[in-house]
Amino acid sequence: MLPVELSPRLILNVVDVVFVVLIAYSVYSLIRGTRAVQLLKGLLVLAALTGIAHWLRLTLLSWILEKIWTVAFVAVVIIFQPEIRRMLEKLGRGAPLLRAIGAGEGEQAVGQVAAAVAELARTRTGALIAFERETGLREFAEGGILLDALVSRELLLTIFEPHTALHDGAVIIRDDRVVAAGCFLPLAAQKVLPSHLGSRHRAAVGLSELTDALVVVVSEETGTVSLVADGKLEPAGEPDKLVAVLSERLRDKRKIWGRGDRRRKGGAT
Ligand SMILES: Nc1ncnc2c1ncn2[C@@H]1O[C@H](COP(=O)(O)OP(=O)(O)OP(=O)(O)O)[C@@H](O)[C@H]1O
């Protein structure tokens, strides 16, 4: 006989707690590493203060805190609109377990991109290349020159050739096609990056903060190649490593229900 009787109520309570823990963990995973963590800490302090004020029956403080909660809610929605949007998009994409593990068209482009990037780095030609994943980059592509051309090393080298009309701005790649070139990307907040990194790198980080895009940056100044994802910039390493990392991350992010649905979600230009 069990020491505690397993009543339906008890089971439901356990399920209830498990759900709350899972949701809390998911929310934390989604905002981990973003500025929303600071916000969460602020809200926890506010919640603790509110609890204490209620417990001690401090009427005036409770009333003020109530007003602060209302203002804070509106402010949070306005200030963190990009993060909230991104979080909801991530939720919409489903749990990682549901993601397909299979090759996508984007991977075919990876080898060509890596070859172009190696050449651009060698000649110290600045470049900014964004790979679209689940979040549609249409709004950024439409700000540039729409191309819809098959990705090739030669095409990318031509686009980033200095003194040409398309070299300024970013190239956006979806699957195996260059969707657009000369695209303006959103800049990351000033404090996120070391001051020696200029606007090209800031733009790469900025896009990766707002979307799940993978961005490759070649520095004109130093010829170094960086890979940017989820707001983090890291050295891309040798071309072979870049191919491996890009392939893995592109594959990992593909959904189980494939390409057609993603297009309907707003990815198409
Ligand atoms: N918001 C942006 N969106 C797209 N491209 C941008 C953006 N900002 C800058 N760029 C590109 O970066 C170029 C200027 O880069 P800047 O020298 O400021 O950056 P950087 O990070 O120091 O790069 P580098 O190390 O290559 O010099 C611009 O000519 C433009 O092509």
Side-chain angles (χ1 to χ4, degrees), residues 126 128 167-170 183-185 187 197-201 203 218-221:
L128 185 55
H167 86 281
D168 239 358
C183 306
F184 184 82
L185 305 182
L187 295 174
L197 293 175
S199 53
R200 198 189 317 268
H201 291 80
V218 182
S219 167
E220 194 170 48
E221 222 169 287

Side-chain angles (χ1 to χ4, degrees), residues 210-221:
L210 289 181
T211 72
D212 64 353
L214 280 178
V215 192
V216 177
V217 199
V218 182
S219 167
E220 194 170 48
E221 222 169 287

Side-chain angles (χ1 to χ4, degrees), residues 38-105:
Q38 303 304 326
L39 168 89
L40 191 66
K41 285 181 188 163
L43 290 179
L44 287 176
V45 171
L46 203 56
L49 269 180
T50 309
I52 292 169
H54 275 292
W55 185 49
L56 296 177
R57 304 222 168 112
L58 305 175
T59 327
L60 184 59
L61 185 59
S62 295
W63 180 80
I64 292 172
L65 287 169
E66 215 172 279
K67 301 291 163 211
I68 291 178
W69 273 112
T70 313
V71 176
F73 179 75
V74 177
V76 162
V77 171
I78 294 170
I79 297 168
F80 287 89
Q81 187 262 338
E83 279 83 359
I84 292 170
R85 182 177 129 186
R86 193 171 172 204
M87 195 170 90
L88 291 175
E89 279 179 353
K90 276 191 180 178
L91 280 178
R93 287 198 297 271
L97 286 178
L98 291 177
R99 285 185 197 136
I101 301 195
E105 297 90 332

Side-chain angles (χ1 to χ4, degrees), residues 114-236:
V117 161
E119 180 63 13
L120 291 164
R122 196 184 64 77
T123 55
R124 297 204 176 177
T125 307
L128 185 55
I129 302 170
F131 286 86
E132 181 184 273
R133 291 201 277 185
E134 297 304 333
T135 309
L137 300 180
R138 184 170 61 182
E139 62 189 285
F140 306 109
E142 284 176 348
I145 306 295
L146 295 177
L147 295 178
D148 191 25
L150 198 66
V151 172
S152 68
R153 171 183 168 276
E154 290 73 16
L155 176 65
L156 292 170
L157 292 178
T158 307
I159 289 173
F160 289 113
E161 181 66 30
H163 312 301
T164 61
L166 287 181
H167 86 281
D168 239 358
V171 154
I172 292 180
I173 292 178
R174 178 188 307 131
D175 298 330
D176 56 354
R177 305 196 73 80
V178 173
V179 179
C183 306
F184 184 82
L185 305 182
L187 295 174
Q190 204 69 16
K191 61 175 184 183
V192 175
L193 280 174
S195 56
H196 70 274
L197 293 175
S199 53
R200 198 189 317 268
H201 291 80
R202 266 175 212 293
V205 175
L207 182 72
S208 77
E209 283 175 341
L210 289 181
T211 72
D212 64 353
L214 280 178
V215 192
V216 177
V217 199
V218 182
S219 167
E220 194 170 48
E221 222 169 287
T222 60
T224 52
V225 182
S226 309
L227 183 62
V228 187
D230 289 326
K232 290 185 201 82
L233 186 139
E234 58 193 47

